[in-house]
Amino acid sequence: MAARIRLKLSPTRRPVSDSAPAPETPRARDFIREMVADDVATGRFGRAPATRFPPEPNGFLHMGHAKSICLNFGIAKEFGGTCNLRFDDTNPFTEDMKYVEAIQRDVEWLGFRWDGLYFASDYFERLYDIAERLVTRGKAYVDDQTEEQIRANRGTVTSPGTPSPWRDRSPAENLDLLRRMKAGEFEDGARVLRAKIDMAHPNMIMRDPLLLRIRRGAHHYRRGTAWNIFPLYDFAHGLSDAIEGITRSLCTLEFKDNRDIYDWLVAEAGFTSPPTQVEFARLELDYTVLSKRKLLRLVNEGHVTGWDDPRMPTIAGLRRRGVRPEAIRDFAETIGVARKDARVEIALFEHAVRNDLNMEVPRRLAVLDPVKVVLVNYPEGQVEQLEAQDYPHDVPKTGTRTVPFSREIWIERDDFMEDPPKKFFRLSPGNEVRLRFGYIIRCEEVVKDAAGRVVELHCTYDPETRSGGANSDRKVKGTIHWVSAAHALSCEVRLYDRLFSQPDPDDVAEGQDFLAALNPASLVVIPEAKVEPSVAADPAGSRYQFERTGYFYSEPEDSRPGKLVFNRIVPLRDSWAKEVRKG
């Protein structure tokens, strides 16, 4: 089981001054950046550092990809090198142009721009030429075994594999069969091209790995039906890197054993100063999954609304939820690059999101579960405009607005208790609280319906205690938020939470799979929340901190004038940590 990363959360960023930017802290170099720095110092490759981000266009990018994007593009920028975006599109059955377009959109949204845009499918001719050279030199052969037979004859970690009966075909016969495979003469599965290495190699990947397989007549989204044979990942990946002049091929730890075939192929293909593969720990994030196969199940089985569902760890989902790219980049830098796998606590990501939004978004008043308060001694028909701050004092941005105040207001139901515990400092019978930007009020009477549910509170207000007034310094222990009932806008609020109810969704009872850990409360929809009227003219896609509640995003696809919809990006505090402490 992977270790867990628990990093100390840094406090919210503070400006050094209003006039001078904070000095940049030098980046602590991880082991990969140390390698690249040494490459530059020694001139190892004879060229500038060159990296690439090589997704397969068979799905949408997720947080694990974001970590790799930040690493590859970040290294190129830091060391004056280049970074390509290359689509490893060698599987005609699963890839689609819609994924290519989505991936490009995500990379650009994260704030990066590639130096070259490439497709492995553009290298099919060069890869085939390399295959013919390998066959001619006796380094590859055509095998008539099925892939199942090949797998069964590979051996085990303690016993060597069984050579194929066709392993010793002559180069001339292999070349003829390879060309006939390319021409579409044979059915799928009839033959494969294998490298001829060592059936007793301690690394089982090196036991004559498959290079090309038949997919006769398959339609490739870019190459059409022109190709009847397609390269496997190990054949295409390293050679594509070499063709592009990549220096460091950065990949996650599950490809460590593939490094031997990577090096063998680029060497046998005759590349001088070839790229080298370096592995780092992939991202494993609590309360979610980062497997394309599992994410696809969530989508296909209807557990989420799509790849861009705001509960999904995809870049598209996070963008629709309202997370900014700055927060994702900051998170990637915070967790860094390690040599060993470890699970990362979701609190680290949520902290990065709050830390980013806290400095950028204005504050607004909103009530999610409203109960009406009638100020019985406030003049009927009177409306005041109270000055409200858009940002707190410790944020460099400034701004004010006015919010209407009237005899009837809405407050949060949770801000009132009829029989409160000792340290409850909000509203209760006979108790006083201050209204944010407003007056001190006192609860005098509780009105309930026939079922005993509180439907209205009758309170009095102290007209001498208006915020900013001469007597505004009168102290009470609690301050609550509110909105004017006559002026508030109704809105739909979608409270998104963690998709799974436990840190490791795979840690379920025997006989169950990760879906058993789905969080039934990952989305709670509040159809009739109330928000102050100042947001009415703001464009869809605006972000706010709803005071004392959380950070919210005006849903860009569903929100429109007269029908406001807000997604919760992240709560103000980690409510899950509170639940753990209670337990």
Side-chain angles (χ1 to χ4, degrees):
M1 181 177 291
R4 292 177 64 82
I5 291 181
R6 291 177 176 269
L7 298 183
K8 183 178 180 181
L9 299 182
S10 61
T12 300
R13 294 178 300 221
R14 298 288 185 263
V16 174
S17 73
D18 291 337
S19 57
E24 290 190 7
T25 302
R27 177 191 292 274
R29 283 182 176 167
D30 53 65
F31 75 98
I32 294 179
R33 286 180 168 86
E34 289 288 355
M35 289 181 181
V36 177
D38 186 65
D39 295 342
V40 173
T42 61
R44 172 176 177 171
F45 292 98
R47 56 190 184 275
T51 60
R52 81 289 173 266
F53 174 61
E56 182 181 0
N58 64 350
F60 288 78
L61 299 184
H62 54 62
M63 285 290 291
H65 296 113
K67 175 181 176 180
S68 179
I69 291 169
C70 292
L71 176 63
N72 280 283
F73 283 90
I75 284 176
K77 180 179 180 181
E78 291 162 34
F79 292 94
T82 60
C83 183
N84 294 339
L85 175 60
R86 181 180 73 241
F87 292 95
D88 276 353
D89 55 348
T90 60
N91 186 341
F93 299 133
T94 62
E95 298 156 354
D96 196 282
M97 184 57 72
K98 69 179 181 181
Y99 297 125
V100 171
E101 294 168 351
I103 289 169
Q104 291 182 79
R105 183 167 59 249
D106 288 348
V107 172
E108 289 183 316
W109 179 79
L110 282 171
F112 301 104
R113 184 67 191 177
W114 47 88
D115 292 284
L117 178 64
Y118 299 103
F119 296 82
S121 57
D122 286 339
Y123 304 146
F124 281 177
E125 287 82 1
R126 293 189 67 175
L127 294 174
Y128 177 77
D129 289 343
I130 290 171
E132 282 207 356
R133 295 204 304 270
L134 292 173
V135 166
T136 301
R137 293 173 49 234
K139 297 293 185 178
Y141 63 97
V142 174
D143 193 349
D144 293 3
Q145 294 182 106
T146 66
E147 291 187 30
E148 290 76 14
Q149 290 172 322
I150 293 171
R151 192 177 302 112
N153 291 335
R154 187 162 282 144
T156 68
V157 292
T158 57
S159 61
T162 302
S164 166
W166 291 273
R167 194 172 192 266
D168 295 324
R169 276 174 166 155
S170 69
E173 184 180 2
N174 282 319
L175 188 59
D176 174 67
L177 289 171
L178 176 60
R179 289 172 176 173
R180 290 163 65 189
M181 288 168 61
K182 180 176 182 288
E185 185 174 326
F186 306 118
E187 297 289 337
D188 289 9
R191 288 182 166 89
V192 295
L193 182 70
R194 298 178 68 179
K196 191 175 183 179
I197 305 178
D198 181 1
M199 289 303 292
H201 199 287
N203 181 352
M204 293 181 65
I205 289 177
M206 297 294 284
R207 296 179 184 180
D208 293 8
L210 276 63
L211 303 180
L212 291 165
R213 59 159 61 102
I214 299 170
R215 291 291 183 262
R216 193 171 70 167
H219 185 273
H220 188 275
Y221 77 106
R222 294 187 72 246
R223 303 301 303 264
T225 56
W227 284 85
N228 295 300
I229 52 175
F230 287 84
L232 280 84
Y233 171 85
D234 280 330
F235 186 46
H237 186 74
L239 293 175
S240 297
D241 284 345
I243 290 169
E244 293 173 19
I246 302 305
T247 54
R248 293 288 183 176
S249 175
L250 310 180
C251 61
T252 47
L253 286 172
E254 62 264 36
F255 294 100
K256 183 176 181 180
D257 289 343
N258 301 69
R259 191 199 308 167
D260 287 342
I261 184 61
Y262 183 106
D263 293 341
W264 186 88
L265 279 167
V266 295
E268 292 295 337
F271 286 96
T272 58
S273 185
T276 60
Q277 178 175 302
V278 182
E279 305 86 21
F280 62 94
R282 65 182 179 182
L283 176 62
E284 294 185 29
L285 191 60
D286 279 353
Y287 296 102
T288 192
V289 292
L290 295 176
S291 156
K292 275 188 181 179
R293 176 181 58 83
K294 292 176 180 177
L295 294 174
L296 185 62
R297 279 192 65 190
L298 290 170
V299 173
N300 289 345
E301 296 178 17
H303 301 290
V304 294
T305 59
W307 287 97
D308 66 345
D309 187 300
R311 293 167 291 180
M312 290 280 275
T314 57
I315 304 302
L318 294 171
R319 180 168 60 241
R320 188 172 180 187
R321 186 164 177 163
V323 174
R324 297 190 342 137
E326 292 86 347
I328 297 175
R329 297 198 302 266
D330 183 62
F331 171 68
E333 183 174 342
T334 298
I335 61 175
V337 181
R339 295 177 184 269
K340 294 182 178 180
D341 285 331
R343 293 192 68 84
V344 178
E345 291 189 347
I346 192 70
L348 292 175
F349 177 61
E350 292 171 346
H351 175 73
V353 174
R354 293 187 195 98
N355 208 29
D356 171 61
L357 294 172
N358 181 57
M359 293 290 167
E360 296 295 331
V361 303
R363 276 53 172 169
R364 293 295 183 261
L365 299 175
V367 176
L368 305 190
D369 185 11
V371 62
K372 182 172 286 188
V373 170
V374 179
L375 302 176
V376 294
N377 64 330
Y378 192 88
E380 291 192 39
Q382 177 172 304
V383 177
E384 294 180 74
Q385 296 296 328
L386 305 181
E387 186 176 46
Q389 293 177 330
D390 288 339
Y391 301 91
H393 294 298
D394 57 0
V395 171
K397 291 189 174 185
T398 59
T400 61
R401 67 194 188 282
T402 59
V403 291
F405 183 81
S406 60
R407 178 183 172 89
E408 295 185 354
I409 62 173
W410 299 109
I411 69 167
E412 291 285 359
R413 188 170 294 276
D414 284 348
D415 280 339
F416 172 80
M417 289 188 71
E418 193 170 10
D419 185 19
K422 184 176 181 180
K423 292 187 178 181
F424 184 80
F425 297 130
R426 287 169 278 175
L427 196 60
S428 59
N431 187 42
E432 289 184 323
V433 296
R434 176 173 287 281
L435 299 176
R436 180 77 163 137
F437 307 121
Y439 298 93
I440 292 175
I441 65 171
R442 174 187 174 92
C443 181
E444 309 291 353
E445 182 183 6
V446 180
V447 180
K448 301 180 182 180
D449 61 17
R453 177 179 170 84
V454 175
V455 294
E456 196 169 279
L457 302 173
H458 291 174
C459 299
T460 55
Y461 88 112
D462 183 346
E464 301 299 321
T465 58
R466 176 170 168 168
S467 293
N471 296 319
S472 63
D473 59 349
R474 184 158 81 81
K475 302 296 183 183
V476 291
K477 291 185 176 180
T479 299
I480 64 175
H481 62 281
W482 55 277
V483 290
S484 169
H487 303 88
L489 304 175
S490 293
C491 59
E492 178 182 307
V493 173
R494 300 169 183 175
L495 300 179
Y496 290 103
D497 212 328
R498 298 169 184 179
L499 189 53
F500 292 90
S501 58
Q502 58 191 45
D504 184 356
D506 290 318
D507 187 17
V508 293
E510 186 176 353
Q512 295 181 326
D513 66 9
F514 73 105
L515 295 177
L518 280 169
N519 174 18
S522 62
L523 171 59
V524 175
V525 178
I526 300 173
E528 282 290 326
K530 306 294 181 181
V531 63
E532 67 172 79
S534 66
V535 304
D538 292 343
S542 297
R543 297 176 179 85
Y544 312 94
Q545 184 195 105
F546 288 169
E547 297 212 25
R548 302 178 63 235
T549 303
Y551 293 95
F552 288 80
Y553 183 54
S554 176
E555 165 62 62
E557 295 190 19
D558 299 332
S559 196
R560 57 184 181 272
K563 186 183 185 301
L564 298 176
V565 179
F566 294 98
N567 295 338
R568 184 173 67 183
I569 307 170
V570 66
L572 278 184
R573 296 177 180 83
D574 188 353
S575 59
W576 286 63
K578 290 183 179 179
E579 292 302 316
V580 170
R581 288 194 293 270
K582 287 180 182 177

